[in-house]
Amino acid sequence: MSVSLLQLFLEFMKIGFFMFGGGYGGIALMYKELVEINKWVSEDEFVKILGIAESTPGPIAINSATYIGYKLGGVPGSMLATMGVVTPPYLVILVIAMFLTRYMYTEAARIVFRGINSAVVALILYALITVGRSVLVVERPPFIDVISAVIFVIAFALLYLARLHPIYVILASAGLSILVRLVLGL
């Protein structure tokens, strides 16, 4: 697939401008732009990239941009995609810090942020459903990957009910998957 470096930069810059809610809020936007609209990566590849981006140090959006940029444009592509996704939030925070701080606690700001925060929750839920479908459902033939579903439920219970630290949940989930493979061969 041929993608110009300018296209790559501009696409990630657009993603960066609308990545409210941080990287998790931006997953839905990245999915829509990179998988559905531009078809630069497949759905399966996108899920794997998220796994890699989340398991390496740094923000998921930046790690994803760097990885996809490298895949599509080598080292220059990774640098431009990363700069594209980082520059808009940097500029927005700079403007807020310089000019809008005194207005952050006004009624108008409260109303605007109520709307943005609500949309962020919807974006994260959309990303959860989209990515979750790719992880939990095997498409040929269509059925639930029972092992993945069980690990998901256990991980969620450990996070939400047991209030276990996320690092321990990740390690326990990986260990459980390895154990299932070793014991059951699945």
Side-chain angles (χ1 to χ4, degrees), residues 5-52:
L5 293 176
L6 180 61
Q7 263 183 302
L8 197 58
F9 176 74
L10 292 175
E11 188 61 41
F12 277 97
M13 189 169 221
K14 177 171 63 172
I15 290 168
F17 266 117
F18 294 98
M19 197 168 283
F20 295 103
Y24 296 109
I27 289 172
L29 177 59
M30 286 191 300
Y31 180 86
K32 181 63 110 180
E33 292 293 328
L34 304 174
V35 176
E36 292 182 359
I37 295 173
N38 291 306
K39 299 184 184 340
W40 288 349
V41 293
S42 69
E43 185 173 327
D44 184 56
E45 198 174 15
F46 184 76
V47 171
K48 289 176 181 166
I49 290 167
L50 289 180
I52 292 167

Side-chain angles (χ1 to χ4, degrees), residues 134-186:
S134 298
V135 172
L136 299 176
V137 177
V138 178
E139 293 189 18
R140 288 181 217 102
F143 65 92
I144 298 290
D145 178 355
V146 176
I147 302 301
S148 295
V150 168
I151 292 172
F152 167 79
V153 169
I154 292 169
F156 185 78
L158 290 173
L159 285 167
Y160 190 74
L161 300 175
R163 301 275 191 231
L164 205 58
H165 193 284
I167 291 173
Y168 299 134
V169 173
I170 291 168
L171 293 173
S173 297
L176 182 57
S177 184
I178 292 167
L179 184 64
V180 166
R181 173 68 175 180
L182 293 173
V183 174
L184 302 176
L186 300 174

Side-chain angles (χ1 to χ4, degrees), residues 74-140:
V75 172
S78 69
M79 291 169 54
L80 288 170
T82 302
M83 290 304 297
V85 83
V86 168
T87 301
Y90 171 77
L91 294 175
V92 167
I93 293 297
L94 184 62
V95 167
I96 288 171
M98 291 173 61
F99 304 109
L100 301 178
T101 304
R102 64 179 158 214
Y103 302 108
M104 292 301 290
Y105 301 101
T106 65
E107 181 67 12
R110 189 188 66 73
I111 291 168
V112 168
F113 284 117
R114 179 181 61 198
I116 290 172
N117 291 341
S118 298
V120 166
V121 172
L123 288 168
I124 292 170
L125 181 60
Y126 175 81
L128 171 70
I129 291 168
T130 304
V131 173
R133 181 186 67 226
S134 298
V135 172
L136 299 176
V137 177
V138 178
E139 293 189 18
R140 288 181 217 102

